Amino acid sequence: MKLHRWVSLTPVLATCVLLVGLFAFGAASYPNFASVAVVRNLLVDNAFLVVAAIGMTFVIISGGIDLSVGAVMAFSATLAASLVEAHGLHPLAAAAVVLAVGVAFGLAQGVLIAMLDVPPFMVTLAGMFLARGAAFAVHPQSRGVTHPFVATTLNETLSLHLPIGARGVVIPPTVVVMFVLLALAWVLLRHVRFGRAVYAVGDDASAARLMGLAVRRIKIGAYALCGCTSAIAGLLFALYQQSGDPASCKGMELDVIAAVIIGGTLLKGGAGSVLGTFAGVMILGLIQTIISFQGDLSSWWTRIVAGGLVLVFLLLHRGIAVMAGRVARLA
Amino acid sequence: MTLSTPSWHRGLRSLVWPVAALALLLAFNAAFMPGFFALEARDGRLYGVLVDILNHGSRTALVALGMTLVIATGGVDLSVGAVAAIAGAVTATLLVEAQVAWPLAIAEAVAIGACCGLWNGLCVSVFKLQPIVATLVLMVAGRGVAQLITGGSIITFESAPVSAIGNSAFLGLPIPVTMLALAAVGLHLLVRRSAMGLYIECVGDNPVAARLAGIPDRAVMMTVYGLCGVLAAVAGVIECSYIKAADANNAGALLELDAILAVVIGGTALSGGRFSFAGTIVGAMLMQTLTKTLYMHDVSAEIAPAPKALVVIVVCLLQAPRVRAWMAGLWSRGGAA
Amino acid sequence: MTSDADRPLLEATGLVVRFGSVRALESVGLTVRAGEVQALLGENGAGKSTLIKCLSGVVKPSAGRIVLDGRPIEPDSPHDAERLGIATVFQEVGLIPHLSVAENICLGREPGRRFFRGLIDWKAVRSRARQAMGRLGLGGLDVERELGTCSVAVQQMVAIARALDVRARVLILDEPTSSLDRGECVKLLEVIRQLRSQGLGIVFISHFLDQVEAIADRVTILRDGVLVGTFEAKSLPRSKLISLMVGREFEAAAARDASDSGSIEAGALLSLRGFGRSGMLEGVDMDVGPGEVVGLAGLLGSGRSETARLVFGADVATRGRMTFRGKAARFTTPRQAIASGIGMLPENRKEQGIFPSLSVVENLVVSLRARDGAFAGLSLRAQVSLAEEFVRLLGIKTPDVHARISGLSGGNQQKVLLARWFATRPVLLILDEPTRGIDIAAKADVLRAVERLRAEGTAVLFISSELEEVTRSCGRVVVLRDRRSVARLEGSEITEQAVLAAVAQTT
């Protein structure tokens, strides 16, 4: 039924409208807003968030939630910095180690959730504090990264120099990594069995089991993937800050969850997309940008607006669910 | 499986594990940390490690009492830290900038905490949002609100009565302990003398049956979240009283973790149903003792949450039905399959 | 209707299933031939769903054999059973609403592309889906549509298409027509005929006897977990069929079809006229006077529990009128109904009735305390003595009133739930299947309690699948069929034959 189509598309539409609307508002209200520099900064400043949000999208689509993302990011950044600066590992080797640890961490959380039925918020809340404590145990303070591979190769050689805009623009490799991961995640969710199974498990886990899907394994896979992206996000953040700081990324899991919800992913699972998540992160970034352009608004307004937006979208999703039920009864 | 004992007896039995764990921890400290049990009386007030534990543990326990009721209905409240920050911010701002009398300032802070809690209750019971997300929204936005109130700076105040809350004693023990005692007694009377306790346990045990049996499930939800907000606000006032200042950034940090851990360790199941205030208080003191033990062994404040989280994972594991069945199988090995 | 007479496609023998002390299946057998439709009939608790669960791997029988195509099999999950060749379409459809039709058909088995095996070949998925739907005569459906946007009828077809994609030999359809309208039923039966001609063996469970008569080649009847027999459908008239299901000899005596009363009876406690809710109940007319016991009779799915829920406010009525105690009423929550003096014992005590972690006392006093308010005050001593009084009155077997209710047997749990409502002293008490799944002695106790209620002046609305109970206890019986009331029997008219006849009449 056509009405049904509209009803299910509404979250995505709302996100797009908001994204475009925000940008238009900014462009209309402030000079220099609609510039290449602003867009570039938006991408650069939020690349690591997008990457973290990719994994969170998988987890939420599968019907779960992961509160440990920020802590794992901080742990990954700190561990990488320590491995490189204190133990002399080559940055790529350090990255490999950090990735492995992130995946293992996600796997462990997934096993507790899927096989032992401990509620996801509890496991990942504990995981958050475990990872945070471990980060401080690795090194109690921020540690700068000065390895030549990072300083020169990553920052300069591998950066893209594009002749766009007045003075040309430099795209650091973090943004490239973000786009690559976005593309991979999109393919995974849309064209690979695992991705389709994640949707199925989140939509109706018991029906999925009856249809023969290995529900537990899929859930564990989603959490392992989230651990992986959180680790990568931590590495990207370390690159962005040129340091590993165990006290960083506090509360970022909430930003990531907010972005995923604003991006149109349903919290109860079964629907969502990484492109929507990307839009969600960009929306939060735009709000931040607008607030800084405004100048006289304190930065914590971002938190309040983000919280408010999440609420609006949650209510929207809830309203859609009720409407869909009514439409189905009429059909 | 049937127990032919009255409910208070059953309640005592469920306390066995938390109390045993607490005793174990205390014994460990007695063995490895001389002076752990040392008490000193000065100016009509007791000082010592145990008193510190009681002091800070009471603050956690207050919030955990409210959290107990929320978890008993099958929900959770992640916003208690943010609400505590808001309450501290309101108190300090009213005292310093609006020159309000201290009883009124505290009353307003607690009232705002109640509103926050009622808002959570509304989201859960009327808008039917999942408790995790509904309270997550307030957790995110609430910090921002607290910072907005304090204007981003740490507001110090001089009010003697307010700072007395966190820094003075009543009957030899820090005032928060008395507040905990009053709150515990008050809540106990509220839930056990009225039908509220029954309503709460029913809503958590079988929400469908609760509605069909005529229980006012919406009112129950609003009440438990409202109470949780009130208690979080009280904890926020105590916290700002400790340092005679409101620090919106750091106030209430880790409060939700400690509160949830206290409830879980105390024996209340995360899925809802039967709850135990006594268990929660023991759990809160256990958490505080663990924290103190870690500090005294030179584990920094930033690392300390990690072993606490491990403890909670272990407790959740032990409560998991699969693990229980496996352990029961181990126990009865030797019998016929 | 040719059938392969050489060897049956599926042969199950001697299946025994016990859940605790309840015997769900006692040595039940079933044979299905290729190219035949076999109907599986029986009332509630007869064992139909348990038998299906054995065949589809959801439940493991403690004894018995299942032989498919000459090979013995032991499916341990629906997926496993599918792999072996037995596909089941459950009543709740069991598909993923947010995925497309094509995806649902191929989920878990999507074909990979030629060069990148990991990626799904959507073209192949779509063509496979169209092929499967084509076998059902729905080749023109847009297979990329989101499943949730399709009607239930189409969703069922998709479930069947999935079974075909798996190359199932045996197709089990569990109550496929309960959510379908007339036109959709006709289409489904057509599809089933097509599948039969393609050589599938089909097991068809339904309580709609006219559909069974239209399509079945053979009929297997279960009653109380025991096989009554398998018969050629042609040789079984409907009256005989019903009496075999119900266990009573039955003559086709004429039933008095009372016409709907135009006016509301004066003095009636509860009056319903055209009462219902779209999608749930078409329209019910009924009167219950003070102190009367009125029975609601009808086969499974006729709308009895729906009527109860709408009267009680568990769901909200959207049609018709209800009058209670002389005033127009429409309850939107159970609380309102309880405040007005109505109580309801729900159909499913485990999911809708008991609070498993709580004690007998607490389960017993909950509605009383809910009605009187949180601060009305009822001392523990008063609660315990109230509970003990009901324990005595109803013969509840429990070590003491503080025991957890989950430790009690089903019959005793039911008695506690009855006591819960007796304690509120309702003016009208609705009992939905009060004797289901409980032992004989407890059944007798419950019926005795109903009699006591009537003697004390409480009106009772009594819903039961057990004809004997209905005819014995009720002064009036309203018969429901297809979610509307079709007949009313009073006093001496109430005999099992009369009820059966009203239930069995073809529209």
Side-chain angles (χ1 to χ4, degrees), chain B residues 25 28-29 33 36 49 53 258 286-311:
Chain B
L25 194 54
F28 171 83
N29 278 310
M33 191 110 304
F36 190 83
V49 174
I53 291 177
D258 282 336
L286 180 61
M287 275 288 119
Q288 198 61 41
T289 311
L290 183 59
T291 310
K292 196 73 175 174
T293 310
L294 288 168
Y295 287 174
M296 288 176 83
H297 283 88
D298 287 324
V299 177
S300 78
E302 284 98 358
I303 301 184
K308 281 164 59 167
L310 264 174
V311 167

Side-chain angles (χ1 to χ4, degrees), chain C residues 71-151:
Chain C
R71 286 169 308 137
I73 59 168
E74 271 180 49
D76 54 16
S77 74
H79 179 59
D80 198 29
E82 250 181 27
R83 203 179 42 85
L84 293 165
I86 302 177
T88 310
V89 177
F90 293 98
Q91 201 172 354
E92 318 78 35
V93 180
L95 296 175
I96 311 291
H98 274 96
L99 295 181
S100 69
V101 166
E103 278 201 86
N104 269 286
I105 292 176
C106 300
L107 190 66
R109 303 184 299 259
E110 298 94 332
R113 289 199 198 180
R114 204 146 38 106
F115 292 118
F116 298 99
R117 287 328 307 280
L119 293 181
I120 298 175
D121 182 354
W122 289 112
K123 226 167 163 183
V125 167
R126 282 194 293 269
S127 87
R128 254 170 68 174
R130 284 198 198 101
Q131 216 173 31
M133 294 303 278
R135 273 177 78 179
L136 302 174
L138 284 173
L141 181 75
D142 176 13
V143 292
E144 305 223 296
R145 245 179 104 159
E146 202 178 285
L147 186 80
T149 64
C150 304
S151 66

